[in-house]
PDB file of all heavy atoms in Angstrom:
ATOM      1  N   GLU P 300      22.854 -51.138  97.570  1.00 93.00           N
ATOM      2  CA  GLU P 300      22.264 -49.789  97.596  1.00 93.00           C
ATOM      3  C   GLU P 300      23.277 -48.751  98.087  1.00 93.00           C
ATOM      4  O   GLU P 300      24.384 -49.088  98.512  1.00 93.00           O
ATOM      5  CB  GLU P 300      21.014 -49.788  98.484  1.00 93.00           C
ATOM      6  CG  GLU P 300      19.903 -50.672  97.934  1.00 93.00           C
ATOM      7  CD  GLU P 300      18.573 -50.469  98.640  1.00 93.00           C
ATOM      8  OE1 GLU P 300      18.526 -49.734  99.635  1.00 93.00           O
ATOM      9  OE2 GLU P 300      17.572 -51.071  98.188  1.00 93.00           O
ATOM     10  N   GLN P 301      22.856 -47.457  97.975  1.00 92.00           N
ATOM     11  CA  GLN P 301      23.642 -46.306  98.443  1.00 92.00           C
ATOM     12  C   GLN P 301      25.026 -46.239  97.764  1.00 92.00           C
ATOM     13  O   GLN P 301      26.045 -45.975  98.398  1.00 92.00           O
ATOM     14  CB  GLN P 301      23.808 -46.336  99.968  1.00 92.00           C
ATOM     15  CG  GLN P 301      22.474 -46.265 100.717  1.00 92.00           C
ATOM     16  CD  GLN P 301      22.627 -46.583 102.195  1.00 92.00           C
ATOM     17  OE1 GLN P 301      23.642 -46.282 102.802  1.00 92.00           O
ATOM     18  NE2 GLN P 301      21.602 -47.191 102.777  1.00 92.00           N
ATOM     19  N   ILE P 302      25.042 -46.509  96.473  1.00 92.00           N
ATOM     20  CA  ILE P 302      26.316 -46.520  95.736  1.00 92.00           C
ATOM     21  C   ILE P 302      26.560 -45.171  95.072  1.00 92.00           C
ATOM     22  O   ILE P 302      25.637 -44.384  94.868  1.00 92.00           O
ATOM     23  CB  ILE P 302      26.309 -47.634  94.662  1.00 92.00           C
ATOM     24  CG1 ILE P 302      25.091 -47.449  93.741  1.00 92.00           C
ATOM     25  CG2 ILE P 302      26.307 -49.002  95.287  1.00 92.00           C
ATOM     26  CD1 ILE P 302      25.182 -48.098  92.427  1.00 92.00           C
ATOM     27  N   GLU P 303      27.795 -44.939  94.669  1.00 90.00           N
ATOM     28  CA  GLU P 303      28.162 -43.694  93.971  1.00 90.00           C
ATOM     29  C   GLU P 303      29.114 -44.014  92.830  1.00 90.00           C
ATOM     30  O   GLU P 303      30.059 -44.783  93.009  1.00 90.00           O
ATOM     31  CB  GLU P 303      28.873 -42.724  94.932  1.00 90.00           C
ATOM     32  CG  GLU P 303      27.971 -42.084  95.959  1.00 90.00           C
ATOM     33  CD  GLU P 303      28.786 -41.251  96.953  1.00 90.00           C
ATOM     34  OE1 GLU P 303      29.985 -41.044  96.703  1.00 90.00           O
ATOM     35  OE2 GLU P 303      28.227 -40.855  97.976  1.00 90.00           O
ATOM     36  N   GLY P 304      28.871 -43.413  91.665  1.00 88.00           N
ATOM     37  CA  GLY P 304      29.816 -43.498  90.550  1.00 88.00           C
ATOM     38  C   GLY P 304      30.027 -44.876  89.967  1.00 88.00           C
ATOM     39  O   GLY P 304      31.042 -45.127  89.314  1.00 88.00           O
ATOM     40  N   VAL P 305      29.088 -45.798  90.182  1.00 90.00           N
ATOM     41  CA  VAL P 305      29.236 -47.159  89.649  1.00 90.00           C
ATOM     42  C   VAL P 305      28.725 -47.201  88.211  1.00 90.00           C
ATOM     43  O   VAL P 305      27.714 -46.574  87.884  1.00 90.00           O
ATOM     44  CB  VAL P 305      28.464 -48.168  90.538  1.00 90.00           C
ATOM     45  CG1 VAL P 305      28.424 -49.543  89.893  1.00 90.00           C
ATOM     46  CG2 VAL P 305      29.115 -48.261  91.909  1.00 90.00           C
ATOM     47  N   LYS P 306      29.421 -47.941  87.334  1.00 90.00           N
ATOM     48  CA  LYS P 306      29.065 -47.989  85.913  1.00 90.00           C
ATOM     49  C   LYS P 306      28.633 -49.395  85.497  1.00 90.00           C
ATOM     50  O   LYS P 306      29.066 -50.390  86.086  1.00 90.00           O
ATOM     51  CB  LYS P 306      30.251 -47.534  85.055  1.00 90.00           C
ATOM     52  CG  LYS P 306      30.630 -46.065  85.280  1.00 90.00           C
ATOM     53  CD  LYS P 306      31.729 -45.608  84.355  1.00 90.00           C
ATOM     54  CE  LYS P 306      33.105 -46.084  84.757  1.00 90.00           C
ATOM     55  NZ  LYS P 306      33.559 -45.556  86.046  1.00 90.00           N
ATOM     56  N   TYR P 307      27.836 -49.446  84.426  1.00 88.00           N
ATOM     57  CA  TYR P 307      27.371 -50.714  83.840  1.00 88.00           C
ATOM     58  C   TYR P 307      28.578 -51.563  83.413  1.00 88.00           C
ATOM     59  O   TYR P 307      29.572 -51.048  82.913  1.00 88.00           O
ATOM     60  CB  TYR P 307      26.481 -50.398  82.633  1.00 88.00           C
ATOM     61  CG  TYR P 307      26.091 -51.594  81.809  1.00 88.00           C
ATOM     62  CD1 TYR P 307      25.189 -52.530  82.290  1.00 88.00           C
ATOM     63  CD2 TYR P 307      26.633 -51.795  80.530  1.00 88.00           C
ATOM     64  CE1 TYR P 307      24.835 -53.634  81.536  1.00 88.00           C
ATOM     65  CE2 TYR P 307      26.285 -52.892  79.769  1.00 88.00           C
ATOM     66  CZ  TYR P 307      25.383 -53.812  80.277  1.00 88.00           C
ATOM     67  OH  TYR P 307      25.039 -54.909  79.526  1.00 88.00           O
ATOM     68  N   ASP P 308      28.503 -52.878  83.609  1.00 85.00           N
ATOM     69  CA  ASP P 308      29.530 -53.853  83.200  1.00 85.00           C
ATOM     70  C   ASP P 308      30.790 -53.833  84.060  1.00 85.00           C
ATOM     71  O   ASP P 308      31.763 -54.526  83.765  1.00 85.00           O
ATOM     72  CB  ASP P 308      29.947 -53.642  81.728  1.00 85.00           C
ATOM     73  CG  ASP P 308      29.396 -54.749  80.847  1.00 85.00           C
ATOM     74  OD1 ASP P 308      28.754 -55.668  81.388  1.00 85.00           O
ATOM     75  OD2 ASP P 308      29.596 -54.703  79.629  1.00 85.00           O
ATOM     76  N   GLU P 309      30.777 -53.024  85.137  1.00 89.00           N
ATOM     77  CA  GLU P 309      31.960 -52.915  85.995  1.00 89.00           C
ATOM     78  C   GLU P 309      32.189 -54.227  86.758  1.00 89.00           C
ATOM     79  O   GLU P 309      31.246 -54.922  87.117  1.00 89.00           O
ATOM     80  CB  GLU P 309      31.714 -51.764  86.993  1.00 89.00           C
ATOM     81  CG  GLU P 309      32.962 -51.166  87.571  1.00 89.00           C
ATOM     82  CD  GLU P 309      32.654 -49.897  88.376  1.00 89.00           C
ATOM     83  OE1 GLU P 309      31.945 -48.995  87.864  1.00 89.00           O
ATOM     84  OE2 GLU P 309      33.108 -49.837  89.522  1.00 89.00           O
ATOM     85  N   LEU P 310      33.449 -54.540  86.991  1.00 89.00           N
ATOM     86  CA  LEU P 310      33.807 -55.735  87.743  1.00 89.00           C
ATOM     87  C   LEU P 310      33.619 -55.478  89.242  1.00 89.00           C
ATOM     88  O   LEU P 310      33.861 -54.369  89.720  1.00 89.00           O
ATOM     89  CB  LEU P 310      35.274 -56.086  87.463  1.00 89.00           C
ATOM     90  CG  LEU P 310      35.719 -57.516  87.721  1.00 89.00           C
ATOM     91  CD1 LEU P 310      34.884 -58.516  86.951  1.00 89.00           C
ATOM     92  CD2 LEU P 310      37.189 -57.672  87.359  1.00 89.00           C
ATOM     93  N   VAL P 311      33.174 -56.520  89.965  1.00 92.00           N
ATOM     94  CA  VAL P 311      32.850 -56.356  91.391  1.00 92.00           C
ATOM     95  C   VAL P 311      33.579 -57.432  92.207  1.00 92.00           C
ATOM     96  O   VAL P 311      33.678 -58.588  91.774  1.00 92.00           O
ATOM     97  CB  VAL P 311      31.323 -56.513  91.605  1.00 92.00           C
ATOM     98  CG1 VAL P 311      30.954 -56.326  93.072  1.00 92.00           C
ATOM     99  CG2 VAL P 311      30.552 -55.523  90.740  1.00 92.00           C
ATOM    100  N   GLU P 312      34.074 -57.056  93.374  1.00 92.00           N
ATOM    101  CA  GLU P 312      34.658 -58.006  94.338  1.00 92.00           C
ATOM    102  C   GLU P 312      33.690 -58.145  95.500  1.00 92.00           C
ATOM    103  O   GLU P 312      33.269 -57.140  96.078  1.00 92.00           O
ATOM    104  CB  GLU P 312      35.994 -57.469  94.857  1.00 92.00           C
ATOM    105  CG  GLU P 312      37.179 -58.262  94.398  1.00 92.00           C
ATOM    106  CD  GLU P 312      38.488 -57.693  94.919  1.00 92.00           C
ATOM    107  OE1 GLU P 312      38.515 -57.224  96.075  1.00 92.00           O
ATOM    108  OE2 GLU P 312      39.468 -57.705  94.164  1.00 92.00           O
ATOM    109  N   ILE P 313      33.337 -59.371  95.853  1.00 92.00           N
ATOM    110  CA  ILE P 313      32.392 -59.598  96.954  1.00 92.00           C
ATOM    111  C   ILE P 313      33.136 -60.371  98.045  1.00 92.00           C
ATOM    112  O   ILE P 313      33.593 -61.505  97.799  1.00 92.00           O
ATOM    113  CB  ILE P 313      31.173 -60.413  96.452  1.00 92.00           C
ATOM    114  CG1 ILE P 313      30.473 -59.660  95.313  1.00 92.00           C
ATOM    115  CG2 ILE P 313      30.201 -60.701  97.590  1.00 92.00           C
ATOM    116  CD1 ILE P 313      29.827 -60.538  94.287  1.00 92.00           C
ATOM    117  N   GLN P 314      33.286 -59.757  99.214  1.00 92.00           N
ATOM    118  CA  GLN P 314      33.971 -60.426 100.327  1.00 92.00           C
ATOM    119  C   GLN P 314      32.925 -60.961 101.284  1.00 92.00           C
ATOM    120  O   GLN P 314      32.141 -60.203 101.861  1.00 92.00           O
ATOM    121  CB  GLN P 314      34.920 -59.460 101.047  1.00 92.00           C
ATOM    122  CG  GLN P 314      35.755 -60.167 102.114  1.00 92.00           C
ATOM    123  CD  GLN P 314      36.774 -59.243 102.766  1.00 92.00           C
ATOM    124  OE1 GLN P 314      37.167 -58.243 102.195  1.00 92.00           O
ATOM    125  NE2 GLN P 314      37.191 -59.583 103.981  1.00 92.00           N
ATOM    126  N   MET P 315      32.923 -62.286 101.447  1.00 89.00           N
ATOM    127  CA  MET P 315      31.931 -62.916 102.328  1.00 89.00           C
ATOM    128  C   MET P 315      32.371 -62.845 103.785  1.00 89.00           C
ATOM    129  O   MET P 315      33.501 -62.464 104.093  1.00 89.00           O
ATOM    130  CB  MET P 315      31.708 -64.359 101.890  1.00 89.00           C
ATOM    131  CG  MET P 315      31.048 -64.436 100.524  1.00 89.00           C
ATOM    132  SD  MET P 315      30.983 -66.091  99.855  1.00 89.00           S
ATOM    133  CE  MET P 315      30.029 -66.955 101.091  1.00 89.00           C
ATOM    134  N   GLN P 316      31.445 -63.236 104.665  1.00 88.00           N
ATOM    135  CA  GLN P 316      31.698 -63.135 106.109  1.00 88.00           C
ATOM    136  C   GLN P 316      32.898 -63.971 106.569  1.00 88.00           C
ATOM    137  O   GLN P 316      33.561 -63.652 107.546  1.00 88.00           O
ATOM    138  CB  GLN P 316      30.437 -63.510 106.910  1.00 88.00           C
ATOM    139  CG  GLN P 316      29.962 -64.948 106.737  1.00 88.00           C
ATOM    140  CD  GLN P 316      29.132 -65.172 105.472  1.00 88.00           C
ATOM    141  OE1 GLN P 316      29.009 -64.272 104.638  1.00 88.00           O
ATOM    142  NE2 GLN P 316      28.570 -66.354 105.325  1.00 88.00           N
ATOM    143  N   ASN P 317      33.234 -65.033 105.799  1.00 88.00           N
ATOM    144  CA  ASN P 317      34.370 -65.889 106.179  1.00 88.00           C
ATOM    145  C   ASN P 317      35.676 -65.466 105.487  1.00 88.00           C
ATOM    146  O   ASN P 317      36.670 -66.179 105.524  1.00 88.00           O
ATOM    147  CB  ASN P 317      34.063 -67.354 105.859  1.00 88.00           C
ATOM    148  CG  ASN P 317      33.764 -67.565 104.379  1.00 88.00           C
ATOM    149  OD1 ASN P 317      33.800 -66.614 103.596  1.00 88.00           O
ATOM    150  ND2 ASN P 317      33.457 -68.792 104.006  1.00 88.00           N
ATOM    151  N   GLY P 318      35.640 -64.320 104.810  1.00 87.00           N
ATOM    152  CA  GLY P 318      36.846 -63.809 104.144  1.00 87.00           C
ATOM    153  C   GLY P 318      36.996 -64.252 102.699  1.00 87.00           C
ATOM    154  O   GLY P 318      37.850 -63.749 101.971  1.00 87.00           O
ATOM    155  N   GLU P 319      36.155 -65.224 102.264  1.00 89.00           N
ATOM    156  CA  GLU P 319      36.237 -65.710 100.868  1.00 89.00           C
ATOM    157  C   GLU P 319      35.880 -64.578  99.894  1.00 89.00           C
ATOM    158  O   GLU P 319      34.940 -63.816 100.137  1.00 89.00           O
ATOM    159  CB  GLU P 319      35.258 -66.884 100.699  1.00 89.00           C
ATOM    160  CG  GLU P 319      35.295 -67.501  99.314  1.00 89.00           C
ATOM    161  CD  GLU P 319      34.125 -68.443  99.036  1.00 89.00           C
ATOM    162  OE1 GLU P 319      33.535 -68.979 100.010  1.00 89.00           O
ATOM    163  OE2 GLU P 319      33.781 -68.612  97.855  1.00 89.00           O
ATOM    164  N   ILE P 320      36.632 -64.489  98.803  1.00 90.00           N
ATOM    165  CA  ILE P 320      36.363 -63.448  97.792  1.00 90.00           C
ATOM    166  C   ILE P 320      35.671 -64.088  96.590  1.00 90.00           C
ATOM    167  O   ILE P 320      36.148 -65.098  96.049  1.00 90.00           O
ATOM    168  CB  ILE P 320      37.676 -62.780  97.318  1.00 90.00           C
ATOM    169  CG1 ILE P 320      38.416 -62.120  98.486  1.00 90.00           C
ATOM    170  CG2 ILE P 320      37.406 -61.769  96.214  1.00 90.00           C
ATOM    171  CD1 ILE P 320      37.872 -60.803  98.953  1.00 90.00           C
ATOM    172  N   ARG P 321      34.536 -63.516  96.197  1.00 90.00           N
ATOM    173  CA  ARG P 321      33.878 -63.914  94.955  1.00 90.00           C
ATOM    174  C   ARG P 321      33.855 -62.720  94.008  1.00 90.00           C
ATOM    175  O   ARG P 321      34.119 -61.598  94.418  1.00 90.00           O
ATOM    176  CB  ARG P 321      32.453 -64.422  95.233  1.00 90.00           C
ATOM    177  CG  ARG P 321      32.469 -65.716  96.014  1.00 90.00           C
ATOM    178  CD  ARG P 321      31.109 -66.351  96.133  1.00 90.00           C
ATOM    179  NE  ARG P 321      31.162 -67.517  97.015  1.00 90.00           N
ATOM    180  CZ  ARG P 321      30.113 -68.220  97.371  1.00 90.00           C
ATOM    181  NH1 ARG P 321      28.910 -67.890  96.938  1.00 90.00           N
ATOM    182  NH2 ARG P 321      30.251 -69.254  98.176  1.00 90.00           N
ATOM    183  N   HIS P 322      33.530 -62.993  92.762  1.00 88.00           N
ATOM    184  CA  HIS P 322      33.553 -61.913  91.770  1.00 88.00           C
ATOM    185  C   HIS P 322      32.199 -61.777  91.098  1.00 88.00           C
ATOM    186  O   HIS P 322      31.413 -62.725  91.065  1.00 88.00           O
ATOM    187  CB  HIS P 322      34.636 -62.182  90.725  1.00 88.00           C
ATOM    188  CG  HIS P 322      36.006 -62.275  91.322  1.00 88.00           C
ATOM    189  ND1 HIS P 322      36.506 -63.462  91.798  1.00 88.00           N
ATOM    190  CD2 HIS P 322      36.936 -61.318  91.557  1.00 88.00           C
ATOM    191  CE1 HIS P 322      37.722 -63.247  92.298  1.00 88.00           C
ATOM    192  NE2 HIS P 322      38.010 -61.962  92.172  1.00 88.00           N
ATOM    193  N   GLY P 323      31.957 -60.603  90.584  1.00 88.00           N
ATOM    194  CA  GLY P 323      30.685 -60.356  89.911  1.00 88.00           C
ATOM    195  C   GLY P 323      30.832 -59.235  88.895  1.00 88.00           C
ATOM    196  O   GLY P 323      31.928 -58.710  88.673  1.00 88.00           O
ATOM    197  N   GLN P 324      29.682 -58.886  88.302  1.00 89.00           N
ATOM    198  CA  GLN P 324      29.671 -57.863  87.267  1.00 89.00           C
ATOM    199  C   GLN P 324      28.384 -57.057  87.402  1.00 89.00           C
ATOM    200  O   GLN P 324      27.324 -57.628  87.701  1.00 89.00           O
ATOM    201  CB  GLN P 324      29.725 -58.546  85.897  1.00 89.00           C
ATOM    202  CG  GLN P 324      30.027 -57.633  84.754  1.00 89.00           C
ATOM    203  CD  GLN P 324      30.233 -58.428  83.463  1.00 89.00           C
ATOM    204  OE1 GLN P 324      29.960 -59.633  83.417  1.00 89.00           O
ATOM    205  NE2 GLN P 324      30.689 -57.791  82.418  1.00 89.00           N
ATOM    206  N   VAL P 325      28.471 -55.756  87.185  1.00 92.00           N
ATOM    207  CA  VAL P 325      27.278 -54.896  87.308  1.00 92.00           C
ATOM    208  C   VAL P 325      26.398 -55.100  86.076  1.00 92.00           C
ATOM    209  O   VAL P 325      26.830 -54.912  84.942  1.00 92.00           O
ATOM    210  CB  VAL P 325      27.686 -53.413  87.439  1.00 92.00           C
ATOM    211  CG1 VAL P 325      26.447 -52.528  87.471  1.00 92.00           C
ATOM    212  CG2 VAL P 325      28.516 -53.202  88.697  1.00 92.00           C
ATOM    213  N   LEU P 326      25.150 -55.510  86.337  1.00 89.00           N
ATOM    214  CA  LEU P 326      24.191 -55.733  85.248  1.00 89.00           C
ATOM    215  C   LEU P 326      23.334 -54.503  84.990  1.00 89.00           C
ATOM    216  O   LEU P 326      22.881 -54.280  83.873  1.00 89.00           O
ATOM    217  CB  LEU P 326      23.238 -56.870  85.626  1.00 89.00           C
ATOM    218  CG  LEU P 326      23.623 -58.309  85.325  1.00 89.00           C
ATOM    219  CD1 LEU P 326      22.436 -59.202  85.572  1.00 89.00           C
ATOM    220  CD2 LEU P 326      24.075 -58.459  83.889  1.00 89.00           C
ATOM    221  N   GLU P 327      23.092 -53.742  86.046  1.00 89.00           N
ATOM    222  CA  GLU P 327      22.136 -52.645  85.936  1.00 89.00           C
ATOM    223  C   GLU P 327      22.440 -51.618  87.024  1.00 89.00           C
ATOM    224  O   GLU P 327      22.803 -51.975  88.143  1.00 89.00           O
ATOM    225  CB  GLU P 327      20.734 -53.221  86.166  1.00 89.00           C
ATOM    226  CG  GLU P 327      19.623 -52.457  85.509  1.00 89.00           C
ATOM    227  CD  GLU P 327      18.291 -53.193  85.670  1.00 89.00           C
ATOM    228  OE1 GLU P 327      18.182 -54.375  85.271  1.00 89.00           O
ATOM    229  OE2 GLU P 327      17.385 -52.574  86.233  1.00 89.00           O
ATOM    230  N   VAL P 328      22.325 -50.334  86.673  1.00 92.00           N
ATOM    231  CA  VAL P 328      22.497 -49.261  87.663  1.00 92.00           C
ATOM    232  C   VAL P 328      21.280 -48.352  87.583  1.00 92.00           C
ATOM    233  O   VAL P 328      20.887 -47.917  86.499  1.00 92.00           O
ATOM    234  CB  VAL P 328      23.776 -48.439  87.397  1.00 92.00           C
ATOM    235  CG1 VAL P 328      23.938 -47.350  88.451  1.00 92.00           C
ATOM    236  CG2 VAL P 328      25.003 -49.323  87.372  1.00 92.00           C
ATOM    237  N   SER P 329      20.646 -48.100  88.731  1.00 89.00           N
ATOM    238  CA  SER P 329      19.486 -47.215  88.768  1.00 89.00           C
ATOM    239  C   SER P 329      19.599 -46.309  89.994  1.00 89.00           C
ATOM    240  O   SER P 329      19.520 -46.784  91.135  1.00 89.00           O
ATOM    241  CB  SER P 329      18.202 -48.052  88.831  1.00 89.00           C
ATOM    242  OG  SER P 329      17.083 -47.209  88.977  1.00 89.00           O
ATOM    243  N   LYS P 330      19.845 -45.026  89.755  1.00 87.00           N
ATOM    244  CA  LYS P 330      20.050 -44.034  90.838  1.00 87.00           C
ATOM    245  C   LYS P 330      21.149 -44.521  91.779  1.00 87.00           C
ATOM    246  O   LYS P 330      22.298 -44.620  91.382  1.00 87.00           O
ATOM    247  CB  LYS P 330      18.725 -43.753  91.557  1.00 87.00           C
ATOM    248  CG  LYS P 330      17.699 -43.067  90.649  1.00 87.00           C
ATOM    249  CD  LYS P 330      16.394 -42.851  91.337  1.00 87.00           C
ATOM    250  CE  LYS P 330      15.375 -42.250  90.363  1.00 87.00           C
ATOM    251  NZ  LYS P 330      14.033 -42.229  90.907  1.00 87.00           N
ATOM    252  N   ASP P 331      20.789 -44.863  93.032  1.00 90.00           N
ATOM    253  CA  ASP P 331      21.835 -45.279  93.973  1.00 90.00           C
ATOM    254  C   ASP P 331      21.828 -46.791  94.203  1.00 90.00           C
ATOM    255  O   ASP P 331      22.331 -47.284  95.197  1.00 90.00           O
ATOM    256  CB  ASP P 331      21.667 -44.533  95.311  1.00 90.00           C
ATOM    257  CG  ASP P 331      20.404 -44.982  96.047  1.00 90.00           C
ATOM    258  OD1 ASP P 331      19.496 -45.529  95.381  1.00 90.00           O
ATOM    259  OD2 ASP P 331      20.323 -44.811  97.280  1.00 90.00           O
ATOM    260  N   LYS P 332      21.249 -47.555  93.241  1.00 93.00           N
ATOM    261  CA  LYS P 332      21.205 -49.024  93.374  1.00 93.00           C
ATOM    262  C   LYS P 332      21.942 -49.680  92.206  1.00 93.00           C
ATOM    263  O   LYS P 332      21.875 -49.188  91.072  1.00 93.00           O
ATOM    264  CB  LYS P 332      19.750 -49.527  93.359  1.00 93.00           C
ATOM    265  CG  LYS P 332      18.955 -49.189  94.599  1.00 93.00           C
ATOM    266  CD  LYS P 332      17.577 -49.809  94.474  1.00 93.00           C
ATOM    267  CE  LYS P 332      16.680 -49.389  95.648  1.00 93.00           C
ATOM    268  NZ  LYS P 332      15.318 -49.923  95.484  1.00 93.00           N
ATOM    269  N   ALA P 333      22.613 -50.785  92.505  1.00 93.00           N
ATOM    270  CA  ALA P 333      23.266 -51.564  91.441  1.00 93.00           C
ATOM    271  C   ALA P 333      22.845 -53.018  91.558  1.00 93.00           C
ATOM    272  O   ALA P 333      22.762 -53.563  92.671  1.00 93.00           O
ATOM    273  CB  ALA P 333      24.779 -51.459  91.552  1.00 93.00           C
TER     274      ALA P 333
END
């Protein structure tokens, strides 16, 4: 939530609490939620 300027199909980096990096993709954007 509380996102700005995010687009559909955009690539995402997810950093977990232990520092591990995972990847994702934006499936849907609605107002300030992705």
Side-chain angles (χ1 to χ4, degrees):
E300 296 192 354
Q301 299 168 33
I302 55 159
E303 288 174 10
V305 171
K306 295 184 283 296
Y307 172 71
D308 253 357
E309 203 171 310
L310 201 56
V311 181
E312 248 179 37
I313 301 148
Q314 186 176 337
M315 293 171 60
Q316 63 278 7
N317 59 1
E319 182 193 336
I320 300 283
R321 293 188 186 176
H322 300 88
Q324 193 173 10
V325 176
L326 273 190
E327 207 174 304
V328 181
S329 175
K330 294 178 184 170
D331 68 339
K332 289 183 185 176

